[in-house]
Amino acid sequence: MTCGFSRVNAGIGLATNFASGQTSATPPGAEVSCEGLGFAYGSKFIFKDVSIAAFKDELIAIIGPTGTGKSTLLRTLAHLIPPTTGHVFLEGKEVKKPSANIALIHQSIATFPWMTALDNVRLALICKGVTKNEATDTSEKMLDLVGLKGDEGDYPKEMSGGMRQRIAIARALAASPTVLLMDEPFVHLDELTADGLRKEIYSLVFNPETTLKAAVLVSHNLHEVIQLADRVYVMKGTPAVITDEVKIDLPRPRTERDPRFLDYLDQFFNELSVKPLQA
């Protein structure tokens, strides 16, 4: 190992802090967490025994080879699909159904092409029963926050991929979630656009004008992960399990010119290139 990584026992600390079925046993201060989470198609588990947590003002990342169920893990955290085993907690209380306090940004740039930018964002609020005037005010504020002030009346087809993804981010933030889940949010953008959004997303997520307290990122882009994450969970194996947990101890803003950045990059490449563990 080439740099002074801060390791956190690959989730073992979380597991020992949980008491089965007791919401008060969640890690103190965790905004979103899970205990022993697993998902199976029939009798075949894709991942199992996953225990992770994101704390206040923290962005965590989940990395691993393709097919380890990282995107599925995000969906189970949001309870968009129910886990086969285990429990999900939001601010210490067990989550048993989808919650408006957990928002998910997909890797596909999900906007409605027949709606303006403002209408795309406003839709999420109107569906919650917010008055049209209040929904408009909040949506305009969020579009301004993501850098789309003046573009409220434009349609997605008139916008670049980066601008459309900003609409998706504004829509997620407008719903006032406490936790934001991001599934490869920049993968379909050109590198220059993606790099620009990466530089902004951390400050957007933890802007005092949003309600967000924590974020979870799934990405195959290790440069992106090291640039953004406070801690990184590594998933490997068949079925996949958490094999490592590493704190990224680098000052912000982060640069690849920092030798320690490259040390983290080498470490994660080495970890992910090792033959997966067998159950």
Side-chain angles (χ1 to χ4, degrees):
M1 187 165 56
T2 55
C3 76
F5 295 117
S6 175
R7 278 199 161 78
V8 199
N9 292 329
I12 295 172
L14 293 182
T16 56
N17 283 335
F18 280 116
S20 179
Q22 299 298 316
T23 58
S24 61
T26 58
E31 296 299 332
V32 64
S33 60
C34 63
E35 175 209 358
L37 212 62
F39 182 81
Y41 291 108
S43 60
K44 182 179 180 181
F45 273 87
I46 307 304
F47 60 84
K48 67 176 185 178
D49 299 330
V50 171
S51 296
I52 65 174
F55 297 90
K56 190 175 186 303
D57 296 331
E58 184 181 46
L59 191 156
I60 67 169
I62 303 166
I63 63 173
T66 298
T68 51
K70 300 181 298 298
S71 294
T72 302
L73 174 58
L74 281 191
R75 283 154 180 77
T76 58
L77 286 175
H79 251 271
L80 298 177
I81 55 176
T84 305
T85 60
H87 307 274
V88 176
F89 302 92
L90 179 66
E91 297 182 315
K93 297 180 180 178
E94 186 165 4
V95 178
K96 296 184 178 181
K97 61 182 180 179
S99 169
N101 289 320
I102 303 177
L104 173 65
I105 298 176
H106 298 268
Q107 56 184 266
S108 58
I109 302 174
T111 54
F112 299 106
W114 61 89
M115 292 182 174
T116 65
L118 179 62
D119 287 337
N120 263 278
V121 178
R122 188 164 50 188
L123 179 64
L125 295 172
I126 292 176
C127 289
K128 291 177 65 176
V130 176
T131 66
K132 187 173 182 179
N133 286 341
E134 185 180 349
T136 298
D137 290 344
T138 299
S139 299
E140 288 178 342
K141 180 179 178 181
M142 291 302 106
L143 285 168
D144 185 13
L145 185 66
V146 300
L148 291 179
K149 184 176 179 61
D151 299 304
E152 298 90 346
D154 292 348
Y155 289 87
K157 66 180 180 181
E158 302 171 313
M159 297 179 161
S160 67
M163 294 173 77
R164 293 197 301 274
Q165 191 63 301
R166 288 173 188 269
I167 293 175
I169 294 170
R171 186 171 56 208
L173 298 179
S176 300
T178 56
V179 173
L180 180 64
L181 310 178
M182 297 181 285
D183 184 10
E184 299 268 12
F186 314 122
V187 70
H188 294 304
L189 303 177
D190 66 86
E191 185 53 33
L192 284 176
T193 301
D195 187 58
L197 268 178
R198 286 186 203 110
K199 290 176 180 176
E200 295 179 39
I201 193 67
Y202 193 91
S203 59
L204 285 177
V205 166
F206 298 115
N207 190 299
E209 295 187 44
T210 76
T211 57
L212 287 175
K213 297 180 180 178
V216 183
L217 170 71
V218 159
S219 178
H220 285 99
N221 187 322
L222 297 181
H223 296 261
E224 176 176 288
V225 165
I226 298 167
Q227 184 176 351
L228 294 176
D230 296 296
R231 284 185 300 115
V232 179
Y233 289 96
V234 181
M235 285 181 70
K236 291 195 305 182
T238 308
V241 295
I242 299 296
T243 59
D244 202 0
E245 180 183 352
V246 177
K247 180 179 179 181
I248 306 297
D249 190 16
L250 294 174
R252 300 180 187 276
R254 294 171 179 171
T255 172
E256 295 186 24
R257 297 186 183 92
D258 187 331
R260 292 173 299 169
F261 190 109
L262 299 178
D263 287 339
Y264 281 110
L265 191 62
D266 287 343
Q267 175 64 21
F268 288 136
F269 268 120
N270 289 337
E271 286 200 56
L272 296 180
S273 64
V274 175
K275 184 178 179 181
L277 299 176
Q278 298 297 318

